[in-house]
Amino acid sequence: MKRAATWLFYAIGALAVAYLALYAYVAFTGRTFEPGDPIHIFRKPDAPNYS
């Protein structure tokens, strides 16, 4: 039981570190996420516009 609690503690710590790293990445890249903004991650520049 003590070993499972230790692994759970490590897992929660790893998730916290990953969340802080993601927060720092978003904060330092300066990207602002606004509702209604389309996501242009995988869009080709020459793709047709259907709207």
Side-chain angles (χ1 to χ4, degrees):
M1 188 69 176
K2 188 175 180 182
R3 187 177 302 193
T6 303
W7 280 107
L8 183 65
F9 180 75
Y10 286 150
I12 291 172
L15 284 174
V17 169
Y19 177 79
L20 288 174
L22 182 63
Y23 179 80
Y25 171 74
V26 170
F28 287 127
T29 55
R31 292 210 39 170
T32 57
F33 296 109
E34 296 181 11
D37 253 356
I39 299 173
H40 297 289
I41 296 174
F42 299 111
R43 182 155 175 83
K44 294 181 185 177
D46 57 346
N49 188 3
Y50 293 112
S51 59

